[in-house]
Coordinates of all heavy atoms in Angstrom, one line a residue:
G53 N 79.9 -10.7 -76.3 CA 80.0 -10.2 -77.7 C 80.4 -11.3 -78.6 O 80.8 -11.0 -79.8
V54 N 80.4 -12.6 -78.2 CA 80.7 -13.7 -79.1 C 79.7 -14.8 -79.1 O 79.0 -14.9 -78.1 CB 82.1 -14.3 -78.8 CG1 83.2 -13.3 -79.1 CG2 82.2 -14.7 -77.3
E55 N 79.6 -15.6 -80.1 CA 78.9 -16.8 -80.1 C 79.8 -17.9 -80.5 O 80.7 -17.7 -81.3 CB 77.6 -16.7 -81.0 CG 78.0 -16.6 -82.5 CD 76.7 -16.8 -83.3 OE1 75.8 -17.5 -82.9 OE2 76.6 -16.1 -84.4
L56 N 79.5 -19.1 -80.0 CA 80.4 -20.3 -80.4 C 79.7 -21.1 -81.4 O 78.5 -21.4 -81.3 CB 80.7 -21.1 -79.1 CG 81.4 -20.3 -78.0 CD1 81.7 -21.3 -76.9 CD2 82.6 -19.5 -78.5
I57 N 80.4 -21.5 -82.5 CA 79.8 -22.3 -83.5 C 80.8 -23.5 -83.8 O 81.8 -23.6 -83.2 CB 79.7 -21.5 -84.8 CG1 81.0 -20.9 -85.3 CG2 78.7 -20.4 -84.6 CD1 80.9 -20.1 -86.6
Q58 N 80.4 -24.4 -84.7 CA 81.2 -25.6 -85.0 C 81.5 -26.4 -83.8 O 82.7 -26.6 -83.5 CB 82.4 -25.2 -85.8 CG 82.2 -24.4 -87.1 CD 81.6 -25.4 -88.2 OE1 81.9 -26.5 -88.2 NE2 80.8 -24.8 -89.0
D59 N 80.5 -26.8 -83.1 CA 80.6 -27.5 -81.8 C 81.5 -26.8 -80.8 O 82.4 -27.5 -80.2 CB 81.2 -28.9 -82.2 CG 80.2 -29.8 -82.9 OD1 79.0 -29.6 -82.8 OD2 80.7 -30.6 -83.7
D60 N 81.4 -25.5 -80.8 CA 82.1 -24.7 -79.8 C 83.6 -24.6 -80.1 O 84.4 -24.1 -79.2 CB 81.9 -25.2 -78.4 CG 80.5 -25.1 -77.9 OD1 79.7 -24.3 -78.5 OD2 80.1 -25.8 -77.0
A61 N 84.1 -25.0 -81.3 CA 85.5 -24.9 -81.6 C 85.8 -23.5 -82.2 O 87.0 -23.1 -82.1 CB 85.8 -25.9 -82.7
I62 N 84.8 -22.8 -82.7 CA 85.1 -21.4 -83.2 C 84.3 -20.4 -82.5 O 83.1 -20.5 -82.2 CB 84.7 -21.4 -84.7 CG1 85.5 -22.4 -85.5 CG2 84.8 -20.0 -85.3 CD1 85.2 -22.4 -87.0
A63 N 85.0 -19.3 -82.1 CA 84.4 -18.2 -81.4 C 84.2 -17.1 -82.5 O 85.2 -16.6 -83.1 CB 85.3 -17.7 -80.3
K64 N 82.9 -16.7 -82.7 CA 82.6 -15.7 -83.7 C 82.1 -14.4 -83.0 O 81.2 -14.5 -82.2 CB 81.5 -16.3 -84.6 CG 81.0 -15.3 -85.7 CD 79.9 -16.0 -86.5 CE 79.4 -15.0 -87.6 NZ 78.4 -15.7 -88.4
R65 N 82.7 -13.3 -83.4 CA 82.3 -12.0 -82.8 C 81.0 -11.6 -83.4 O 80.9 -11.6 -84.7 CB 83.4 -11.0 -83.0 CG 83.2 -9.7 -82.2 CD 84.4 -8.8 -82.2 NE 84.6 -8.3 -83.5 CZ 85.8 -8.4 -84.2 NH1 86.8 -9.0 -83.7 NH2 85.9 -7.9 -85.4
T66 N 80.1 -11.2 -82.6 CA 78.7 -10.9 -83.2 C 78.4 -9.4 -83.1 O 77.5 -9.0 -83.7 CB 77.7 -11.7 -82.4 OG1 77.8 -11.3 -81.0 CG2 77.8 -13.2 -82.5
D67 N 79.2 -8.7 -82.3 CA 78.9 -7.2 -82.2 C 80.2 -6.5 -82.3 O 80.9 -6.3 -81.4 CB 78.3 -6.9 -80.8 CG 77.6 -5.6 -80.8 OD1 77.9 -4.7 -81.7 OD2 76.7 -5.4 -79.9
H68 N 80.6 -6.2 -83.6 CA 82.0 -5.7 -83.8 C 82.2 -4.3 -83.3 O 83.4 -3.9 -83.0 CB 82.2 -5.7 -85.3 CG 82.2 -7.0 -86.0 ND1 82.5 -7.2 -87.3 CD2 81.9 -8.2 -85.4 CE1 82.4 -8.5 -87.5 NE2 82.0 -9.2 -86.4
Y69 N 81.2 -3.4 -83.2 CA 81.5 -2.0 -83.0 C 81.1 -1.5 -81.6 O 81.7 -0.6 -81.1 CB 80.8 -1.2 -84.1 CG 81.3 -1.6 -85.5 CD1 80.5 -2.4 -86.3 CD2 82.5 -1.1 -86.0 CE1 81.0 -2.8 -87.5 CE2 83.0 -1.5 -87.2 CZ 82.2 -2.3 -88.0 OH 82.7 -2.7 -89.2
S70 N 80.0 -2.1 -81.0 CA 79.5 -1.5 -79.8 C 80.0 -2.2 -78.6 O 79.8 -1.8 -77.4 CB 78.0 -1.5 -79.8 OG 77.5 -2.8 -79.8
R71 N 80.7 -3.4 -78.7 CA 81.2 -4.1 -77.6 C 82.6 -3.6 -77.2 O 83.5 -3.7 -78.0 CB 81.3 -5.6 -77.9 CG 79.9 -6.3 -78.0 CD 79.2 -6.3 -76.6 NE 77.9 -6.9 -76.7 CZ 77.0 -7.0 -75.7 NH1 77.3 -6.5 -74.6 NH2 75.9 -7.7 -75.9
P72 N 82.8 -3.2 -76.0 CA 84.2 -2.7 -75.6 C 85.1 -3.9 -75.3 O 84.6 -5.1 -75.3 CB 83.9 -2.0 -74.3 CG 82.7 -2.6 -73.7 CD 81.9 -3.0 -74.9
E73 N 86.3 -3.6 -75.2 CA 87.3 -4.7 -74.9 C 86.9 -5.4 -73.6 O 86.5 -4.8 -72.6 CB 88.7 -4.0 -74.7 CG 89.8 -5.0 -74.3 CD 91.1 -4.3 -74.0 OE1 91.0 -3.1 -73.6 OE2 92.2 -4.9 -74.2
G74 N 87.1 -6.7 -73.7 CA 86.7 -7.6 -72.5 C 85.4 -8.3 -72.6 O 85.1 -9.2 -71.9
H75 N 84.5 -7.9 -73.6 CA 83.2 -8.5 -73.7 C 83.2 -9.6 -74.8 O 82.2 -10.2 -75.0 CB 82.2 -7.5 -74.1 CG 81.8 -6.6 -72.9 ND1 80.6 -6.7 -72.2 CD2 82.4 -5.5 -72.4 CE1 80.6 -5.8 -71.3 NE2 81.7 -5.1 -71.4
C76 N 84.4 -9.9 -75.4 CA 84.5 -10.9 -76.4 C 85.6 -12.0 -75.9 O 86.2 -12.6 -76.8 CB 84.9 -10.3 -77.7 SG 83.6 -9.2 -78.4
I77 N 85.7 -12.2 -74.6 CA 86.7 -13.1 -74.1 C 86.1 -14.5 -74.1 O 84.9 -14.8 -73.9 CB 87.0 -12.7 -72.7 CG1 87.9 -11.4 -72.7 CG2 87.8 -13.8 -72.0 CD1 88.2 -10.9 -71.3
V78 N 87.0 -15.5 -74.5 CA 86.7 -16.9 -74.5 C 87.8 -17.6 -73.8 O 89.0 -17.1 -73.8 CB 86.4 -17.4 -75.9 CG1 85.1 -17.0 -76.4 CG2 87.5 -17.1 -76.8
V79 N 87.5 -18.8 -73.2 CA 88.5 -19.6 -72.5 C 88.3 -21.0 -73.0 O 87.2 -21.5 -73.2 CB 88.4 -19.4 -71.0 CG1 87.0 -19.9 -70.5 CG2 89.5 -20.2 -70.3
S80 N 89.4 -21.8 -73.1 CA 89.3 -23.2 -73.4 C 88.5 -23.9 -72.3 O 88.7 -23.6 -71.2 CB 90.7 -23.8 -73.6 OG 91.5 -23.7 -72.4
D81 N 87.8 -24.9 -72.8 CA 87.0 -25.7 -71.8 C 87.8 -26.7 -71.1 O 87.3 -27.4 -70.1 CB 85.8 -26.3 -72.4 CG 86.1 -27.6 -73.1 OD1 87.2 -27.7 -73.7 OD2 85.3 -28.5 -73.2
G82 N 89.1 -26.9 -71.5 CA 90.0 -27.9 -70.8 C 91.4 -27.4 -70.8 O 91.7 -26.4 -71.5
P83 N 92.3 -28.0 -70.0 CA 93.7 -27.6 -70.0 C 94.3 -27.7 -71.4 O 94.0 -28.5 -72.2 CB 94.3 -28.5 -69.0 CG 93.2 -29.0 -68.2 CD 92.0 -29.1 -69.1
I84 N 95.3 -26.8 -71.6 CA 96.0 -26.9 -72.9 C 97.1 -28.0 -72.8 O 97.3 -28.6 -71.8 CB 96.7 -25.5 -73.2 CG1 97.8 -25.2 -72.1 CG2 95.6 -24.4 -73.3 CD1 98.6 -23.9 -72.4
A85 N 97.7 -28.2 -74.0 CA 98.7 -29.3 -74.1 C 99.9 -29.0 -73.2 O 100.4 -27.9 -73.0 CB 99.2 -29.4 -75.6
V86 N 100.4 -30.1 -72.6 CA 101.6 -30.0 -71.7 C 102.5 -31.1 -72.0 O 102.1 -32.2 -72.4 CB 101.1 -30.1 -70.2 CG1 100.4 -31.4 -69.9 CG2 102.3 -29.9 -69.3
A87 N 103.8 -30.9 -71.9 CA 104.9 -31.9 -72.1 C 105.9 -31.8 -71.0 O 106.3 -30.7 -70.6 CB 105.6 -31.7 -73.4
E88 N 106.2 -33.0 -70.4 CA 107.2 -33.0 -69.4 C 108.6 -32.8 -70.0 O 109.0 -33.5 -71.0 CB 107.2 -34.4 -68.7 CG 105.8 -34.7 -68.0 CD 105.5 -33.7 -66.9 OE1 106.4 -33.1 -66.3 OE2 104.2 -33.5 -66.7
R89 N 109.4 -31.9 -69.4 CA 110.8 -31.7 -69.9 C 111.7 -31.9 -68.7 O 112.1 -30.9 -68.0 CB 110.9 -30.2 -70.4 CG 110.0 -29.9 -71.5 CD 110.3 -30.5 -72.8 NE 109.5 -29.9 -73.9 CZ 109.1 -30.6 -74.9 NH1 109.3 -31.9 -75.0 NH2 108.4 -30.0 -75.9
G90 N 112.0 -33.2 -68.3 CA 112.8 -33.4 -67.2 C 112.0 -33.1 -65.9 O 111.0 -33.6 -65.7
S91 N 112.6 -32.2 -65.1 CA 111.9 -31.8 -63.9 C 111.0 -30.6 -64.1 O 110.4 -30.1 -63.2 CB 113.0 -31.4 -62.8 OG 113.8 -30.4 -63.3
S92 N 110.8 -30.2 -65.4 CA 110.0 -29.0 -65.7 C 108.9 -29.4 -66.7 O 108.7 -30.6 -67.0 CB 110.9 -27.9 -66.3 OG 110.1 -26.7 -66.6
R93 N 108.1 -28.4 -67.1 CA 107.0 -28.6 -68.0 C 107.0 -27.5 -69.0 O 107.4 -26.4 -68.8 CB 105.7 -28.6 -67.3 CG 105.3 -29.8 -66.4 CD 104.0 -29.5 -65.8 NE 103.4 -30.8 -65.2 CZ 102.2 -30.8 -64.6 NH1 101.4 -29.8 -64.6 NH2 101.8 -32.0 -64.1
D94 N 106.6 -27.9 -70.2 CA 106.3 -26.9 -71.3 C 104.8 -26.9 -71.6 O 104.2 -28.0 -71.5 CB 107.0 -27.1 -72.6 CG 108.5 -26.7 -72.5 OD1 108.9 -26.3 -71.3 OD2 109.2 -26.8 -73.5
Y95 N 104.2 -25.8 -71.9 CA 102.8 -25.7 -72.2 C 102.6 -25.1 -73.6 O 103.5 -24.3 -74.0 CB 102.0 -24.9 -71.2 CG 101.9 -25.4 -69.8 CD1 103.0 -25.1 -68.9 CD2 100.9 -26.2 -69.4 CE1 102.9 -25.6 -67.6 CE2 100.8 -26.7 -68.1 CZ 101.8 -26.4 -67.2 OH 101.8 -26.9 -65.9
Y96 N 101.5 -25.4 -74.3 CA 101.4 -24.8 -75.6 C 99.9 -24.8 -76.0 O 99.1 -25.7 -75.7 CB 102.1 -25.6 -76.7 CG 102.1 -25.0 -78.1 CD1 102.8 -23.8 -78.4 CD2 101.3 -25.6 -79.1 CE1 102.7 -23.3 -79.6 CE2 101.2 -25.0 -80.4 CZ 102.0 -23.8 -80.6 OH 101.9 -23.3 -81.9
A97 N 99.5 -23.7 -76.7 CA 98.1 -23.5 -77.2 C 98.2 -22.8 -78.5 O 99.1 -22.0 -78.8 CB 97.2 -22.8 -76.2
E98 N 97.2 -23.1 -79.4 CA 97.2 -22.5 -80.7 C 95.8 -22.2 -81.2 O 94.9 -23.0 -80.9 CB 98.0 -23.5 -81.7 CG 98.3 -23.0 -83.0 CD 99.1 -24.0 -83.8 OE1 98.6 -25.1 -84.1 OE2 100.3 -23.7 -84.1
V99 N 95.7 -21.2 -82.0 CA 94.4 -20.8 -82.6 C 94.6 -20.6 -84.1 O 95.7 -20.4 -84.5 CB 93.8 -19.6 -81.9 CG1 93.5 -19.8 -80.5 CG2 94.7 -18.3 -82.2
K100 N 93.5 -20.6 -84.8 CA 93.5 -20.3 -86.2 C 92.5 -19.2 -86.6 O 91.4 -19.3 -86.1 CB 93.2 -21.6 -87.0 CG 93.2 -21.4 -88.5 CD 92.8 -22.8 -89.2 CE 92.8 -22.6 -90.7 NZ 92.4 -23.9 -91.4
I101 N 92.9 -18.3 -87.4 CA 92.0 -17.2 -87.8 C 91.1 -17.8 -88.9 O 91.6 -18.1 -90.0 CB 92.7 -16.0 -88.3 CG1 93.7 -15.5 -87.2 CG2 91.8 -14.9 -88.7 CD1 93.1 -15.1 -86.0
E102 N 89.8 -17.9 -88.7 CA 88.9 -18.4 -89.6 C 88.2 -17.3 -90.5 O 87.7 -17.6 -91.5 CB 87.8 -19.3 -88.9 CG 88.3 -20.6 -88.4 CD 88.7 -21.6 -89.4 OE1 88.3 -21.4 -90.6 OE2 89.4 -22.6 -89.1

Side-chain angles (χ1 to χ4, degrees):
V54 293
E55 67 171 325
L56 303 186
I57 59 177
Q58 299 292 328
D59 294 330
D60 297 340
I62 296 178
K64 178 181 180 180
R65 191 171 67 236
T66 58
D67 198 341
H68 296 186
Y69 301 100
S70 64
R71 290 292 183 183
E73 179 185 28
H75 287 257
C76 298
I77 289 176
V78 286
V79 60
S80 62
D81 81 325
I84 63 173
V86 59
E88 302 294 335
R89 306 289 192 214
S91 59
S92 183
R93 286 179 168 184
D94 282 8
Y95 296 86
Y96 184 72
E98 190 174 65
V99 300
K100 180 181 179 181
I101 304 299
E102 290 291 346

